[in-house]
Amino acid sequence: MFWIWVVKGVCLPLWRRMIMWSLWGLLLWEVAGAQVLSKVGDSVLLVAERPPGFQVREAIWRSLWPSEELLAMFFQGSLETLYHSRFLGRARLHSNLSLELGPLESGDSSNFSVLMVDTRGRAQTQTLQLKVYDAVPRPVVHVFIAVAGDALPLTTCQVFLSCWAPNVSDVTYSWRQEGTMDLGMEAHSLFTDGQVLSVSLGPGEKDVAYSCIVSNPVSWDLATVTPWESCRREAAPGKASYKDVLLVVVPVSLLLALAGLFSAWHWGRCSGKKKDLCADRVAPEPENPLV
């Protein structure tokens, strides 16, 4: 199949068209690429910038990655976007030659270029980098309580807050203590790239809340917890900590395992003796010869 391009009534095959693009490259100047950010499900407008006095005669929009694809063209006053590419049905070329894409999908991140030729034969190319992000979902915060030891006063509750945003990547985790601008480094520690926050609470901080903020360049969300509520449940009367449970469960489990091994060994030994005894009792009697 050959692509045909009509220039002033002359039909040009694709290879000659590519040669003309190369010749235009000798005359063109390139506009430095800008980065455009958007998120899945939205539409984005890639603006074609023209210098003053640049009267466009032809314009060509292309996607450069993962493979080069023709997206839209302006030629002889007509706009065309019905090209077989992954943006077919999602591309719209405006009268000012800006290209609108949408709704965006997660794999639409790419570099785009627009080649414009004016009425005097001068050419200009502009490149744009589109980065498409997923919308950040609401994070989930889990509260873990450390059992107080000798190093901590009985009135202190050591808390670990773990934050996680499901089904998303390229995000940043940060924490905020509600009612303050930042966290005091002497009482707070961050782990695993900010996903885990260690907090030491006292009785005077029963109503202190912490928010985990998950963000990327185009969206963000947060979840807020009050850790002292978990401290109160952990220290409730009659409720054993996980250490108390282990102190009971582990010795009992070991005792039962040893008892089982001893029973198996004793049964195997007795079974061997019984087999020998039965063999002695069941020994065949000598047959009397026939007279």
Side-chain angles (χ1 to χ4, degrees):
M1 178 179 179
F2 293 93
W3 287 85
I4 303 298
W5 193 26
V6 179
V7 179
K8 294 184 179 179
V10 180
C11 295
L12 297 180
L14 180 60
W15 66 272
R16 288 190 178 180
R17 177 176 160 189
M18 298 300 294
I19 292 177
M20 293 190 65
W21 284 355
S22 299
L23 293 176
W24 284 345
L26 299 177
L27 300 174
L28 64 84
W29 63 91
E30 183 173 352
V31 178
Q35 189 177 61
V36 181
L37 306 179
S38 188
K39 66 175 181 288
V40 173
D42 286 357
S43 296
V44 65
L45 187 66
L46 304 180
V47 179
E49 297 180 356
R50 293 173 288 178
F54 193 91
Q55 298 180 357
V56 179
R57 187 181 63 188
E58 292 98 15
I60 300 170
W61 276 98
R62 292 175 297 162
S63 171
L64 305 179
W65 188 90
S67 61
E68 185 172 332
E69 295 177 318
L70 181 62
L71 303 182
M73 180 182 292
F74 170 75
F75 180 71
Q76 292 186 343
S78 63
L79 305 174
E80 179 63 58
T81 58
L82 297 179
Y83 296 102
H84 290 283
S85 70
R86 69 181 189 275
F87 293 100
L88 179 61
R90 297 188 293 135
R92 178 188 175 191
L93 187 60
H94 292 265
S95 58
N96 63 354
L97 303 182
S98 295
L99 183 66
E100 182 179 355
L101 301 175
L104 294 174
E105 301 174 357
S106 58
D108 287 343
S109 296
S110 179
N111 291 334
F112 298 84
S113 72
V114 55
L115 174 64
M116 295 178 290
V117 182
D118 70 358
T119 54
R120 293 189 293 174
R122 295 180 304 171
Q124 171 182 292
T125 184
Q126 177 186 354
T127 59
L128 298 169
Q129 182 184 21
L130 173 63
K131 179 65 175 177
V132 180
Y133 292 88
D134 291 314
V136 173
R138 185 175 180 84
V140 179
V141 178
H142 296 284
V143 181
F144 300 93
I145 306 301
V147 178
D150 297 336
L152 294 175
L154 296 178
T155 57
T156 301
C157 181
Q158 187 69 31
V159 180
F160 292 91
L161 306 178
S162 175
C163 185
W164 175 65
N167 303 321
V168 69
S169 58
D170 297 331
V171 295
T172 300
Y173 293 88
S174 60
W175 293 88
R176 181 180 69 200
Q177 179 179 332
E178 297 301 324
T180 61
M181 296 300 296
D182 56 359
L183 298 178
M185 295 304 296
E186 69 280 357
H188 306 83
S189 299
L190 295 174
F191 306 94
T192 61
D193 295 329
Q195 282 189 256
V196 178
L197 173 68
S198 174
V199 182
S200 181
L201 299 174
E205 299 172 294
K206 297 180 180 180
D207 298 326
V208 176
Y210 293 87
S211 294
C212 172
I213 305 171
V214 184
S215 61
N216 61 23
V218 297
S219 62
W220 64 276
D221 206 337
L222 60 83
T224 304
V225 294
T226 305
W228 188 262
E229 296 177 357
S230 299
C231 296
R232 184 176 54 188
R233 288 194 297 267
E234 185 71 22
K239 183 175 180 180
S241 67
Y242 75 95
K243 285 189 176 181
D244 297 331
V245 174
L246 291 178
L247 290 175
V248 176
V249 172
V250 172
V252 172
S253 300
L254 291 176
L255 183 61
L256 292 176
L258 291 176
L261 291 175
F262 179 77
S263 299
W265 173 78
H266 182 70
W267 177 256
R269 183 178 179 186
C270 292
S271 298
K273 290 182 178 181
K274 288 181 179 180
K275 288 180 180 180
D276 296 338
L277 181 60
C278 290
D280 294 339
R281 291 180 179 178
V282 187
E285 298 180 357
E287 297 181 358
N288 293 328
L290 296 175
V291 179

